[in-house]
Amino acid sequence: MYLRLEWLCVAAALLGLGACQSSLSVNPEGDQVKAIGEGSLFTCSATGTVTGLAWYDPNQNAVTDDTTQSVHVQSRGNSIRLKFSDIQRDNAGIYYCRATGTNEDGTTQDLEATIKLSIFEAISFVDPKSTQFATRGQVANVVCQAAGEPVPEINWYRNGQFIANEGRFSKLDGTSYLQIVNVTMDDEDTYTCEASQETNGEYDELPIFLDVQVPPTLVTRPSPTNGTVGRDVTLRCQATGDPDPTYAWFRDSTDPSNELTAERYVFSQQNGVVDKMTMTITALAKADEGTYICQASNGAGAAEAAASVFVYVPPTITDPQDASTPEGGSVDLPCSASGDPTPMLQWKKGGGDGAMVDGSDPRFTVSTPSTGVAILTISQVTNSDGGIYTCVATNLGGTDQKTLNLDVQFKPKVDDSTPAVAATWVGNPVNLTCSFTSNPAPDIKWSLNNNDIQEGAGYAIFSSPSGSTLQVTPADDGAFGMYNCTASNSLGAANREVLLKEAVAPEPPSNVQSSDQTPISVTLTFDAPMSDGGVPVKKYVVQYAVATSDNSTAVPNNFTANAPADAVEIPGLKPDTLYTITVVAVNDVGSSDPSDPALVIRTKEIRVPYTPSIIEDSQDGDKDSTQYTLKWQAPNTGGSALTQYTIKYRPVGSDGDFQTITVTETGKKSYIITDLSPLTEYEVQLTASNMKGESAEATVQFRTGEPKATEPPGTISRRASESGLGTGGIVAVVIVVLIILLIVIDVACYFTNQCGLTMFVCVNLCGKAPPGGKAADAEEGTATYKKEELQDDEVIESLKIEKDGADKPLMDKPPSQTSLTKDVNPEEVKLQENTGDDKEALA
């Protein structure tokens, strides 16, 4: 048994045995308290002679010098260290330093020194969460766990205020959690978890932010949607919540395996980030039909809504087959179609714009013997029933339509609209036409007097889909007569008769009369021949000659007019002259006899010209402001050559005299009236004159336009007058600029060379010394002044000369002759030339 050293020494002293010679001591002394994780060192020192110096742990095991162990020893002569590199909780207890001491008398004794090591654990927060979440309206447990030795005590604070166990706030029994019941948005705040160890005065704090969240609430739910195969459909979903919800879409259920992520599902984006608030299913297929679920979620919960998608399949019609039937029979036209929902089938006559078969014609009926099948039945089929029929299939997915052709067969039907009579003459070919409709195409035969006609020997046959043409070139009278065209097919035959007559010259026109006469012309009317001879009249020849007093035959003149002609005007006659007139009709065969009786008529005497006809030109697009172009048609001269035209004009409503213009060039048919006022209404009178006098007046009114806003480059005077600045104003501006320039030069001379007018005024009139002058230089200054005075007189004289010289050229020239050259408009040159000619004519 080991005895403590101090006890042994005390006992030896009491017994008179003398002092101890060996001892052990531990530094630091006393019980030690250390924190987990610290490093600690305890030194055991021996005095005297000792052996076997060693440290023992609380389990009486010797501590080794293995430095790989967290607890080991290190010997240093008469001392030994106990080292802890990383104190742990299980290192707590009493550690023993032991040795065997040898006394002076050679006796030995067991020595021992101890140290008690207590371990405390610093406060640490276990799995600290600085941000925790709560759901509005529910119970929140704010978690805070602290570890340490001794076990820390937990208290809660908000904004520095201790949270007592009262109301909605309490510390959950048996835990360190802060429990908040019926959480509100106001509870969102930072809470402080305080952990403390009162025995050693340690404490620590953990701030925890409580984020109060609101579960999602759907404000926009996906709606049941119908789509069509091949097209897109879009479903929309939107929710509120805090934090903002995220979205996911599912098919049939919210099992994670059913979440939609394929490329054909297109999701919406916000600022380049996919938010999935809308989902578009692209290129719908029937397999996409089903239930789609939108799920909105955040940390507080989730909300979801479902919508069904129904996929329509557009109709598809099985190609209907063309049909054929004879006229008068019955025919069935079937049509079948598929689609979802089942399509509705209809028939219509014709293509896209055809009319639907609606039962208005009882011969047309539609039956539906089975789903997706419609049969159109046509009874008592007529030729007009043939053609295109369209089957139309419609459902909610769209429309399809297909056509078929109904071929109705019938016997030939001749078109009676072709001419039944034709005429020609021997040697002249003529075409006889027979038109028909037929299905199938017929055979065509031509005959004359019941004798079939073969091609050749004056006959040629030309066939076409719509008929046949027989070309006849008569060789003699035997080619004229009744021709028969017979068309036949398997269903029957039809014929058409065409009479070919021999053509002759036409009969003469009748009822020849004069409807109008002038001194130089006669207008005739007459009736067409009673018979054109079998071929049309192409022209009429008017034969006219001056009647002689002795009834001798004069050489006739001919005037030709193309047919038809209700009235013919014969020009170029002599005034006050008796004429004999007949009319001959001409066709391809020849000419008729002259009309009988002949028309005898006298032309009128010479008279004043007829009234000219003014050609009114609206000129609305671009009316000129100062001129107007008067246009007219030359009148009938009245039997005497025109001598002149007279134009009179004045403003409408004016009491003044007319302005008069005489145009002696009688071949002219227009004249430009110039020097008019802008925006003014004018009246114009036009007459024509010959040797007999002046015609009646032709009148017209017109209005001039606005002055043009821009003009081609012109003279200074023109622009100055438009701006209110005349020639005098321009001259004044030039003079003012020159005077200012001279004043500037004179002032500069005054300050630099002490000369000029300013120098004269300052020295002589104001008594001022020149710049830089001195009293001692007065005489020199006077002399200088006199010299400068002469110079100033010269300057004044030069100014006067320059001023006079500048004025005269500008004042002597009228505004139109200033230095700028006006660009000449070709139209104005033409107008001036015309006006000049007219003035010469007036002269």
Side-chain angles (χ1 to χ4, degrees):
M1 178 177 182
Y2 294 99
L3 297 176
R4 290 183 179 273
L5 177 62
E6 56 271 23
W7 296 348
L8 292 175
C9 290
V10 170
L14 293 175
L15 296 175
L17 297 179
C20 291
Q21 297 179 355
S22 301
S23 63
L24 297 176
S25 62
V26 177
N27 191 38
E29 298 179 348
D31 294 342
Q32 298 295 314
V33 178
K34 298 296 182 181
I36 291 177
E38 288 186 3
S40 295
L41 175 68
F42 303 101
T43 303
C44 177
S45 301
T47 58
T49 301
V50 297
T51 59
L53 186 61
W55 279 98
Y56 294 85
D57 64 19
N59 294 325
Q60 301 301 319
N61 296 317
V63 180
T64 68
D65 58 0
D66 184 0
T67 58
T68 62
Q69 300 296 318
S70 61
V71 182
H72 61 274
V73 295
Q74 187 180 48
S75 297
R76 300 182 64 180
N78 285 339
S79 65
I80 185 170
R81 292 178 173 182
L82 178 63
K83 299 180 74 173
F84 295 85
S85 60
D86 183 14
I87 292 178
Q88 298 299 318
R89 184 186 302 275
D90 58 1
N91 293 139
I94 298 176
Y95 287 83
Y96 304 91
C97 179
R98 292 174 180 166
T100 300
T102 302
N103 299 322
E104 293 180 355
D105 57 4
T107 61
T108 62
Q109 59 181 3
D110 294 328
L111 304 177
E112 182 180 269
T114 63
I115 184 171
K116 183 177 181 181
L117 179 62
S118 298
I119 305 299
F120 80 92
E121 183 179 352
I123 297 173
S124 63
F125 291 100
V126 180
D127 191 18
K129 293 182 174 62
S130 58
T131 299
Q132 300 185 31
F133 302 94
T135 301
R136 186 181 63 183
Q138 298 183 7
V139 176
N141 291 321
V142 187
V143 177
C144 179
Q145 291 181 318
E149 184 64 36
V151 176
E153 179 183 1
I154 301 297
N155 290 295
W156 290 91
Y157 295 85
R158 181 179 183 182
N159 297 326
Q161 300 295 318
F162 176 72
I163 299 176
N165 289 336
E166 60 183 12
R168 296 185 300 110
F169 294 82
S170 64
K171 188 164 71 172
L172 192 62
D173 291 341
T175 71
S176 58
Y177 300 168
L178 174 65
Q179 187 176 77
I180 307 173
V181 299
N182 194 21
V183 173
T184 68
M185 296 303 296
D186 291 338
D187 295 333
E188 184 171 279
D189 207 342
T190 297
Y191 295 82
T192 301
C193 171
E194 180 192 80
S196 61
Q197 297 170 326
E198 293 186 359
T199 57
N200 56 14
E202 295 287 332
Y203 91 101
D204 199 357
E205 293 180 347
L206 175 66
I208 300 174
F209 177 73
L210 182 62
D211 184 356
V212 178
Q213 298 183 338
V214 180
T217 300
L218 290 173
V219 294
T220 301
R221 296 172 174 267
S223 302
T225 304
N226 300 323
T228 303
V229 168
R231 298 184 180 178
D232 301 344
V233 295
T234 298
L235 301 177
R236 293 175 174 82
C237 180
Q238 187 176 3
T240 60
D242 188 6
D244 291 337
T246 59
Y247 299 86
W249 291 85
F250 301 86
R251 173 79 181 270
D252 297 332
S253 75
T254 55
D255 188 284
S257 63
N258 290 338
E259 185 174 357
L260 304 178
T261 58
E263 291 183 358
R264 57 189 304 265
Y265 300 102
V266 179
F267 300 101
S268 59
Q269 298 183 6
Q270 291 287 343
N271 298 322
V273 178
V274 176
D275 62 14
K276 294 190 177 182
M277 291 177 64
T278 65
M279 178 192 68
T280 299
I281 308 173
T282 61
L284 278 174
K286 186 64 179 177
D288 293 322
E289 193 170 273
T291 301
Y292 291 83
I293 303 169
C294 168
Q295 185 183 77
S297 60
N298 62 12
E304 61 187 44
S308 61
V309 173
F310 184 83
V311 180
Y312 298 136
V313 180
T316 300
I317 296 176
T318 303
D319 289 339
Q321 301 297 313
D322 293 342
S324 178
T325 186
E327 190 174 28
S330 179
V331 64
D332 290 337
L333 306 178
C335 176
S336 61
S338 60
D340 190 7
T342 301
M344 177 184 69
L345 294 175
Q346 292 177 293
W347 281 94
K348 64 181 178 180
K349 177 71 167 66
D353 296 331
M356 288 291 181
V357 176
D358 56 4
S360 58
D361 188 340
R363 297 184 303 111
F364 290 76
T365 59
V366 178
S367 58
T368 54
S370 61
T371 301
V373 177
I375 298 176
L376 172 62
T377 299
I378 308 174
S379 58
Q380 299 176 10
V381 175
T382 65
N383 180 28
S384 61
D385 295 333
I388 297 296
Y389 285 82
T390 302
C391 176
V392 181
T394 306
N395 69 5
L396 295 174
T399 299
D400 188 21
Q401 59 182 25
K402 295 290 178 63
T403 61
L404 61 81
N405 182 64
L406 176 60
D407 182 30
V408 178
Q409 298 181 342
F410 54 94
K411 68 180 184 179
K413 299 178 182 179
V414 176
D415 182 4
D416 293 334
S417 64
T418 57
V421 178
T424 188
W425 58 94
V426 173
N428 185 66
V430 66
N431 291 332
L432 308 182
T433 300
C434 173
S435 297
F436 56 85
T437 57
S438 176
N439 187 23
D443 295 326
I444 305 294
K445 290 184 179 181
W446 284 92
S447 63
L448 173 62
N449 300 326
N450 296 321
N451 296 317
D452 290 343
I453 295 174
Q454 304 297 326
E455 284 198 271
Y459 294 105
I461 299 175
F462 304 95
S463 298
S464 70
S466 61
S468 176
T469 297
L470 174 65
Q471 187 179 79
V472 181
T473 305
D476 52 36
D477 293 344
F480 300 103
M482 186 66 72
Y483 286 80
N484 185 278
C485 170
T486 301
S488 61
N489 64 11
S490 59
L491 300 177
N495 63 79
R496 171 72 166 166
E497 292 183 336
V498 181
L499 176 62
L500 178 60
K501 300 192 302 182
E502 184 175 9
V504 296
E507 295 182 1
S510 60
N511 196 24
V512 179
Q513 297 181 9
S514 171
S515 63
D516 190 21
Q517 300 174 41
T518 73
I520 60 174
S521 66
V522 172
T523 301
L524 301 179
T525 61
F526 50 85
D527 295 335
M530 296 293 292
S531 171
D532 59 7
V535 291
V537 174
K538 288 190 173 181
K539 62 183 178 180
Y540 294 97
V541 178
V542 180
Q543 299 174 338
Y544 61 97
V546 176
T548 59
S549 58
D550 57 359
N551 293 325
S552 61
T553 302
V555 178
N557 295 295
N558 292 336
F559 181 83
T560 301
N562 292 328
D566 296 330
V568 177
E569 182 182 7
I570 307 172
L573 303 182
K574 297 179 180 180
D576 193 22
T577 303
L578 191 66
Y579 285 89
T580 299
I581 302 174
T582 59
V583 183
V584 174
V586 181
N587 65 10
D588 286 336
V589 178
S591 300
S592 71
D593 294 332
S595 58
D596 187 36
L599 176 65
V600 179
I601 191 169
R602 182 179 295 276
T603 55
K604 292 185 177 181
E605 295 180 352
I606 295 175
R607 52 156 287 178
V608 298
Y610 287 72
T611 305
S613 176
I614 294 178
I615 302 172
E616 294 193 37
D617 186 358
S618 63
Q619 299 185 3
D620 291 335
D622 187 15
K623 291 183 179 180
D624 198 288
S625 62
T626 60
Q627 65 183 30
Y628 177 80
T629 301
L630 180 68
K631 301 177 183 178
W632 64 86
Q633 290 180 344
N636 188 306
T637 64
S640 177
L642 297 180
T643 58
Q644 67 179 35
Y645 290 101
T646 302
I647 301 171
K648 296 181 179 181
Y649 65 95
R650 68 178 178 184
V652 174
S654 172
D655 295 332
D657 295 336
F658 280 94
Q659 298 288 326
T660 302
I661 300 171
T662 301
V663 181
T664 58
E665 294 181 21
T666 56
K668 296 185 68 170
K669 296 182 181 178
S670 66
Y671 187 84
I672 301 176
I673 305 173
T674 60
D675 298 327
L676 303 178
S677 299
L679 298 175
T680 303
E681 192 85 20
Y682 283 89
E683 58 177 325
V684 179
Q685 298 176 356
L686 174 65
T687 61
S689 300
N690 63 8
M691 61 178 294
K692 277 290 189 179
E694 189 175 20
S695 71
E697 299 167 349
T699 62
V700 71
Q701 290 187 354
F702 66 88
R703 181 179 178 83
T704 53
E706 295 183 1
K708 293 183 179 179
T710 60
E711 63 176 12
T715 62
I716 289 179
S717 62
R718 181 176 176 182
R719 289 198 297 268
S721 62
E722 290 178 353
S723 62
L725 185 62
T727 304
I730 295 174
V731 173
V733 170
V734 172
I735 293 173
V736 169
V737 171
L738 288 174
I739 292 174
I740 293 173
L741 181 60
L742 291 172
I743 291 174
V744 171
I745 294 173
D746 185 74
V747 171
C749 291
Y750 169 71
F751 284 102
T752 58
N753 297 323
Q754 291 80 47
C755 63
L757 290 174
T758 305
M759 179 70 178
F760 174 80
V761 172
C762 290
V763 173
N764 288 292
L765 299 184
C766 299
K768 294 183 178 181
K774 297 182 180 179
D777 300 329
E779 294 181 359
E780 182 181 354
T782 303
T784 302
Y785 163 72
K786 291 181 178 179
K787 179 180 179 181
E788 297 300 334
E789 183 178 9
L790 292 177
Q791 294 175 353
D792 291 339
D793 292 339
E794 295 173 358
V795 171
I796 294 172
E797 184 65 20
S798 66
L799 281 176
K800 182 178 180 182
I801 294 172
E802 289 178 11
K803 178 176 181 296
D804 294 340
D807 287 345
K808 289 181 179 179
L810 291 174
M811 295 301 292
D812 291 342
K813 294 182 180 180
S816 61
Q817 296 178 358
T818 51
S819 59
L820 293 179
T821 301
K822 178 179 179 182
D823 293 338
V824 179
N825 189 324
E827 293 297 328
E828 294 178 355
V829 172
K830 181 178 178 181
L831 173 59
Q832 292 168 3
E833 290 175 353
N834 291 340
T835 306
D837 294 341
D838 296 335
K839 290 180 178 178
E840 291 175 5
L842 288 172

